[in-house]
Amino acid sequence: MKAKEIRTKFLEFFESKQHKIVPSAPLVVKNDPTLMFINAGMNQFKDIFLGHGHSESKRVADTQKCLRVSGKHNDLDEVGHDTYHHTLFEMLGNWSFGDYFKKEAIAWAWELLTEVYGLDKESLYVTVFEGDKEDGTAFDKESFDFWKAIIPEDHILNGNKKDNFWEMGDSGPCGPCSEIHIDIRTIEEKANISGRDLINQDHPEVIEIWNLVFIEFNRKANGQLETLPNKHIDTGMGFERLTMAIQGVRSNYDTDIFQPIIQTIAKETGFEYGKDKKKDIAMRVVADHIRALAFTIADGQLPSNVGAGYVIRRILRRAVRYAYSFLDKKEAFMYKVLPVLIQEMGEAFPELIKQEKLISKVIQEEENSFLNTLSTGIMRIEKIIEQLTLSGQKSLSGKDAFELYDTFGFPFDLTELILKENGFRVSKADFDKHMREQKARSKQASITETDDWVIVSEQIEGNGFVGYSLLSTEIKIVKYRKIQAKNTIAYQLVFNQTPFYAESGGQVGDTGFIQNETETINIFDTKKENNLTVHYTNQLPKNPENTFQAHVTAEKRWMTANNHTAAHLMHHALRDVLGTHVEQKGSYVDADYLRFDFAHFQKMSDEEILQVEDLVNQAIWNNAPANIQIDVDIKEAEKLGAIALFGEKYGDKVRVVQFADSIELCGGTHVEATGQIGLFKIIHESAIAAGIRRVEAITGEKAIAYYNTQANELDQIKGLLKGQKELSKGVQNLLDENKKLHKQIDELNQLKAAGIKAELLTKALKINGVNIITSTVDLDANNIKNLVFALLRDAKHTLVALGGKSDDKVTLTVALSKDLIDEKGLDAGKIIRSVSKEIQGGGGGQAHFATAGGKNPNGLEKAYQLIKEQMNK
RNA sequence: GGGGGAUUAGCUCAGUUGGCUAGAGCGUUUGACUGGCAGUCAAGAGGUCAUCGGUUCGAUUCCGAUAUUCUCCA
């Protein structure tokens, strides 16, 4: 059975059990501070489990793309070395929200595996939770009994809290789980050792394929468990593992999910897969990572040096490193593997096809940039080796190796390899020590403590977000909690309803205050945590159970709306001017300006920028009214031609924002009619990544202020140029003149210097066969320098000591012709140090040229005297 | 969010106890050689040493802040 078929059968099976099939959520997680990427099938249903949202369907199934790069079940470092760890994988899952429970979940899992997929019953084992004394949880007899009805008892094992009690995090919904394991070893191996003894023993061929989680508890921050009113089913089956079992191969990488990719890598690198252990590992690494990269970039996450983007960059660099070291690939090549991946996966994940060009460009660019990092690192290492050789050392300190890694991004294993090739050592333990210190530092800096929610009043009626139409309304506080980070304490408040817009879709959160007769509480930010709107304040109300009037800062909201609507108009204009390949890749909108990132492969020309500005301003002057529809069926919205974003999760019902021809799915706040925006001006256009441009713009008052400043500047220049008509010509004239004058000054200075030179030569004294010229001249330090070098150019046995005065400071320059240094061992630096105290200063320099500065011009004569005396000896 | 680097000619980079008229290679301009292309040789142009402050007689160099950027950790 082909992988594609396996995926389809799963979905069809649960559809036949009255499940609604939903699309995979985008990989990149927004609105959840605890998670960067989707790492389990249940992530997109977290709100439902937490009780913050509800599902329209009580039964749901899907295949979810997941990314795991750290954590107990997967470490990036392991991927490729074995046959079953992945960064990106698909999780097949079925869910019940307060509907069916253990009985059905178990029965259907068994039916699907054995009857639809035809897996051998004898090779399947299941585990059930044995209970835990500390938590006061009992043996999961219910599950045990359901299983006993369908499989022999010797295929049922008990599991402890670690393996069979599933938790979302330190707190939150949790419950016992029952895992299904499969033994894919050969008959001989099975006869030798029973599969039963290898369950959960990290055997690569006796593995868990499906986890059925029975969510029935909530763990509080203090560790205690409470029973949930609604019980849920949450299951997850690793698609790659399942495919391996069904296709009868021994490794995930041998399935038809990975083989086409691996074969392409083999072709690109010129090595065969399966011949050399190290090369195989490298090929698996590349095959795995290219999948992760393609999916995350398709979902809008670009490699960067912070947060989620950094994780992507690290994955890419790991792949490049393996290819570089083991597959002899010293140039970018991964982007060439991409077409095969897209051919295989594009049908199930159409975003890959849509974004192919961008993904390819980004990957290629990143590969090249890291290869560049590597080559500068290699230069650095070569330098280090040279130094080690010179000083006769045999090993590099872990600290230096860490510096290479930490500061220059050069991987430790390459450092170690190159040193070894040259006969040097480096201490891994020492390196690790520095790594631990760095981690501890970061952790210390980002420590946050979150207390339990304090419930103020459980059941209050409210209308959620009312801020589209109201900037002020009566609210009650539902709950609050304290959060503590480093030195700051803040409180999060949740209301029954709120006029405050929570940061999302690139638009900043509202600020304002809540107030009643007795107190006023400032709200400095509003954010979303999953579906919850959280208001941030530094101060807790004394009587939180009272009713408050909530007020949003209107001016800020107003200006933000200007910018948000302008961003829509600009998006539309960009597509008109540049083409429909322009796709939003990110945006930021606040009261001050708007920022819009989009896919486009070259710099915008000045004309294009002007055209976009014109189109937006015309749309503003047309004063198009807002046409905002809520609860539009997503299919309906698509028919209208509304622009949706990749990597954004939309429900079935969406909000459609329309201004004339600009139609977008958007939850943000907008102007009532475009005329309110007043004026639009692009102030910046730049590249932020391969194939991504950024445009920054301002509107309304800010745009007017911008033009005023420019006009002011112009007026001032006009004034300075005394009313010349063509300003640029006037400035050009000035520049030309300036250049000419500079040249004249240079010439005059040279003449002056020549005059002084001639005069000085007549003053030369001969002492002990040395021509000594001492004088105080009216030149600055730089010109004295020129003069001195001119004097010495063809002079022999000559010492020059020249003083110069400027303001209350004085300089002294001593220079020698080269023969004096060679023959008499004189040193201008030493001479100047010995006399500089006479001018109350200090100085130094080289043997042939030295300068000093001081405060006492009257000391110059004494200094000359001393120099002459020195020559007399 | 925290740590460590970097910013010098159009490009890639050197520049150590603070004073070497701030250099190299590539590119560019001009000239010579060659029938032309290409090339070789020679000469020249090109720098507020990121910005702003401080220490110092003197800062590209030391210190601080800002901006940009790279890199590691979270």
Side-chain angles (χ1 to χ4, degrees), chain A residues 645-784:
Chain A
L645 304 183
F646 276 100
E648 202 66 46
K649 183 171 153 36
Y650 296 102
D652 294 336
K653 299 287 183 187
V654 293
R655 184 167 179 264
V656 178
V657 175
Q658 178 174 14
F659 292 94
D661 296 336
S662 150
I663 313 175
E664 296 196 29
L665 305 188
C666 177
T669 62
H670 287 271
V671 300
E672 282 177 20
T674 56
Q676 181 193 312
I677 300 167
L679 184 61
F680 170 86
K681 171 71 187 159
I682 292 176
I683 50 170
H684 208 223
E685 194 270 356
S686 59
I688 55 162
I692 312 278
R693 311 292 308 179
R694 165 171 294 177
V695 172
E696 289 162 68
I698 47 178
T699 61
E701 290 174 36
K702 299 271 176 188
I704 302 275
Y706 174 84
Y707 280 112
N708 280 341
T709 313
Q710 301 280 316
N712 255 331
E713 287 266 312
L714 270 184
D715 279 348
Q716 284 181 28
I717 295 173
K718 241 182 223 168
L720 290 172
L721 288 175
K722 307 255 188 292
Q724 278 193 46
K725 282 221 176 80
E726 291 176 71
L727 289 187
S728 54
K729 205 173 166 189
V731 173
Q732 188 58 50
N733 285 341
L734 282 179
L735 288 175
D736 290 346
E737 186 138 341
N738 190 276
K739 205 170 179 181
K740 212 167 86 190
L741 290 176
H742 262 295
K743 222 173 174 181
Q744 279 180 15
I745 290 174
D746 275 349
E747 284 165 12
L748 285 175
N749 274 334
Q750 275 170 29
L751 280 178
K752 189 175 170 189
I756 295 173
K757 183 181 163 189
E759 192 195 330
L760 289 178
L761 285 172
T762 63
K763 286 191 189 168
L765 282 174
K766 199 149 195 161
I767 301 177
N768 264 346
V770 179
N771 299 308
I772 298 182
I773 300 169
T774 60
S775 181
T776 303
V777 293
D778 184 23
L779 291 170
D780 66 16
N782 202 37
N783 277 310
I784 290 181

Side-chain angles (χ1 to χ4, degrees), chain A residues 213-225:
Chain A
V213 181
F214 314 123
I215 296 180
E216 48 188 326
F217 301 112
N218 179 45
R219 191 180 292 280
K220 306 205 300 193
N222 65 9
Q224 277 180 348
L225 292 177

